[in-house]
């Protein structure tokens, strides 16, 4: 069933059941990789909040949770390429393994900025886990991007934390813009 947000129509793309299954798989892999450590999961707000919550529930090892808030879309359908930092990291990550949790990686501009910023804080390691990845939109080489839920076409999407004009985050499925 299609949904309407403001003037735009979106059609189903990825069901919550499919997202949940992939999140379990990623969580199991992360739990195995970081067994014996206490990693810091850093969610990038606002978009990652649903994925982050579901992901950490699947990682049954000691871990810390923190958030940062960055944006580059500012309500539109495309990135403005201007990165705004609204909420900085409030935990010391020096010498710690960091798993950066993103909702979506498209151009990679925000992610490159964020990885470089976190590296300056001297963590032991940084690994990026993104729910969605648009390889056709990518403009940067980001070797830290190790875990991807789903590779998708370069289409605008909403739901499961992703928004259009701050609306649509509450849908449990992911929807793509109907052209």
């Amino acid at each position: 069933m299609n949904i309407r947000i403001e003037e735009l129509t979106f059609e189903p793309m990825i069901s919550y059941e499919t997202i949940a299954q992939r999140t379990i798989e990623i969580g199991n892999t992360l739990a195995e990789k970081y067994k014996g450590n206490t990693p810091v999961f850093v969610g990038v707000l606002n978009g990652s909040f649903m994925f982050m919550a579901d992901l950490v529930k699947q990682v049954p090892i000691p871990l810390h949770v923190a958030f940062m808030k960055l944006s580059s879309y500012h309500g539109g359908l495309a990135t403005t390429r201007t990165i705004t930092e609204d909420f900085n990291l409030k935990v010391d990550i020096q010498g710690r393994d960091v798993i950066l949790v993103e909702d979506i990686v498209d151009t990679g501009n925000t992610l490159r900025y964020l990885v470089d910023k976190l590296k300056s804080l001297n963590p032991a390691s940084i690994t990026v886990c993104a729910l969605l990845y648009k390889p056709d939109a990518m403009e940067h080489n980001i070797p830290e991007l190790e875990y991807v839920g789903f590779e998708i076409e370069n289409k605008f999407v909403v739901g499961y934390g992703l928004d259009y004009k701050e609306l649509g985050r509450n849908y449990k499925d992911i929807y793509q813009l109907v052209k």
Side-chain angles (χ1 to χ4, degrees), residues 11-142:
E11 63 188 3
M13 181 183 205
I14 306 171
S15 72
Y16 176 73
E17 293 74 23
T18 302
I19 296 166
Q21 182 56 47
R22 183 69 181 123
T23 302
I24 290 169
E25 293 166 5
I26 294 170
N28 288 338
T29 302
L30 290 170
E32 186 61 34
K33 179 177 180 178
Y34 293 99
K35 186 190 299 184
N37 295 331
T38 305
V40 181
F41 281 70
V42 177
V44 181
L45 294 173
N46 285 336
S48 75
F49 79 99
M50 283 186 156
F51 180 47
M52 177 82 156
D54 288 345
L55 180 62
V56 297
K57 288 185 262 184
Q58 302 305 321
V59 184
I61 61 172
L63 57 84
H64 289 135
V65 172
F67 290 95
M68 296 180 74
K69 185 173 182 186
L70 299 162
S71 58
S72 66
Y73 272 73
H74 308 289
L77 292 175
T79 180
T80 63
R81 299 195 182 276
T82 301
I83 298 168
T84 304
E85 249 183 83
D86 298 322
F87 182 74
N88 207 348
L89 188 63
K90 303 292 186 199
V91 65
D92 182 9
I93 61 168
Q94 184 171 344
R96 308 278 307 275
D97 293 311
V98 173
I99 296 102
L100 188 58
V101 181
E102 273 277 24
D103 56 349
I104 189 165
V105 175
D106 47 28
T107 64
N109 290 329
T110 302
L111 184 55
R112 176 79 276 146
Y113 171 89
L114 187 52
V115 168
D116 290 346
K117 179 180 178 80
L118 293 177
K119 280 183 177 179
S120 74
L121 301 174
N122 301 313
S125 69
I126 297 176
T127 299
V128 177
C129 178
L131 174 64
L132 302 174
Y133 172 52
K134 297 179 181 180
D136 292 341
M138 193 64 153
E139 297 174 2
H140 297 272
N141 177 28
I142 303 177

Side-chain angles (χ1 to χ4, degrees), residues 11 13-14 73 104-106 132-138 150-157 174-177 179:
E11 63 188 3
M13 181 183 205
I14 306 171
Y73 272 73
I104 189 165
V105 175
D106 47 28
L132 302 174
Y133 172 52
K134 297 179 181 180
D136 292 341
M138 193 64 153
F150 304 93
E151 285 190 11
I152 63 170
E153 293 180 40
N154 193 11
K155 295 185 177 185
F156 191 81
V157 293
I174 295 175
Y175 296 80
Q176 64 186 356
L177 180 64
K179 292 283 179 174

